[in-house]
Amino acid sequence: MEPADGAVVAMLEDDLHRMAVRLRHDGSRVLAAEPLMDRVPWTVCPGAAEVLEKTFTGILLKDVTVRRDKQANCTHLHDLAVIGAAHALDSAPLEYQVFISDPRDADGGEERELEIRRDGRVVHRWTERAGRFVEPPSLAGLSPLTMRDWIAGLEGESREAARLLQWASLVAHGRKMTDEQRQASLGLRPSCFTMQPDRAPQARMAGGIHDFSAGGREPLEGLRDRFEAVFGS
């Protein structure tokens, strides 16, 4: 997240997505929402840019929340708008780094390690086994889909980081899915713009998967320049 006078840019990149959102504001209200979808998993995803603009333009920064028409939007653009609004009046940039291991065999089922850092400092480190958390003890027995109340009991940056790591824990499953599994997942539930019943049948894989574990460029590299090439500085 990069706040500036009258604007904030939030950027995201992972294996499946490379996106950015700029919210222009007057200190209290969103004047414009500018979404960039530079890499997407599905061919129909770019249509969500217009939905994001309509969802957030003109509303108060404090009303850019996680429950505002999220399923009608690209969930990742929506998340960027929400966290961008939360940090729109900050005095310095903020970076989160999320690390989620590929599943490995362990006693009791496949196991993953999940970690999120805020400006380099570890905020949360979780262990998931067979789809449920085993560490830390306060999270034991819950899953990424049943931890909302646990997150709500946190405060400040701990809550924000937990919500981001929860979202990432779900997205990370896409890394190990086959093409057939990804296509089948479109019909499971209408959880985003692309998965709505009127769009899912038309969606095809966009072929934009990037494996950062193979080395090469770093996440977000060149994304700010790409954004300014499209929307200006």
Side-chain angles (χ1 to χ4, degrees):
M1 284 67 69
E2 298 182 353
D5 186 23
V8 59
V9 177
M11 296 176 285
L12 159 75
E13 185 162 20
D14 59 28
D15 290 43
L16 299 169
H17 312 88
R18 179 174 164 91
M19 301 179 179
V21 172
R22 178 163 60 193
L23 299 180
R24 296 190 182 273
H25 62 84
D26 61 6
S28 63
R29 187 177 299 276
V30 177
L31 303 178
E34 300 170 334
L36 174 70
M37 306 182 83
D38 201 43
R39 184 160 53 82
V40 296
W42 301 103
T43 53
V44 301
C45 290
E50 183 179 358
V51 178
L52 187 91
E53 294 166 8
K54 293 179 179 178
T55 299
F56 292 118
T57 300
I59 73 170
L60 295 174
L61 285 169
K62 67 180 182 65
D63 291 334
V64 182
T65 68
V66 294
R67 290 186 171 87
R68 183 174 287 273
D69 297 331
K70 186 167 185 177
Q71 290 188 345
N73 277 269
C74 163
T75 57
H76 311 290
L77 288 183
H78 191 284
D79 293 344
L80 286 173
V82 169
I83 197 167
H87 295 279
L89 304 181
D90 287 2
S91 59
L94 172 64
E95 181 179 64
Y96 281 106
Q97 292 176 300
V98 178
F99 303 89
I100 300 179
S101 68
D102 288 334
R104 60 176 177 268
D105 291 334
D107 291 340
E110 287 191 335
E111 183 174 284
R112 297 193 300 170
E113 298 292 335
L114 306 92
E115 178 179 294
I116 186 166
R117 302 175 188 174
R118 179 184 170 111
D119 285 337
R121 175 176 54 84
V122 175
V123 182
H124 294 289
R125 184 181 290 122
W126 305 337
T127 302
E128 178 195 80
R129 188 175 300 139
R132 295 190 178 275
F133 297 110
V134 295
E135 292 288 345
S138 63
L139 196 52
L142 298 178
S143 75
L145 295 175
T146 63
M147 62 187 301
R148 177 180 294 179
D149 289 345
W150 184 86
I151 293 175
L154 304 176
E155 296 182 355
E157 66 179 56
S158 181
R159 179 190 293 177
E160 179 177 84
R163 184 173 289 121
L164 291 174
L165 188 53
Q166 177 201 27
W167 292 338
S169 73
L170 298 170
V171 174
H173 286 295
R175 173 177 159 83
K176 302 299 289 184
M177 294 170 69
T178 65
D179 290 350
E180 291 76 14
Q181 289 171 329
R182 292 190 184 96
Q183 196 73 42
S185 71
L186 284 174
L188 294 181
R189 58 192 179 98
S191 57
C192 71
F193 174 86
T194 294
M195 292 187 181
Q196 295 303 312
D198 59 331
R199 298 188 191 95
Q202 283 75 49
R204 298 293 181 269
M205 291 187 61
I209 297 174
H210 186 94
D211 186 358
F212 287 99
S213 66
R217 69 173 180 84
E218 293 295 309
L220 301 181
E221 187 175 320
L223 184 54
R224 193 61 157 86
D225 291 340
R226 169 68 177 145
F227 183 88
E228 292 185 353
V230 175
F231 289 103
S233 59

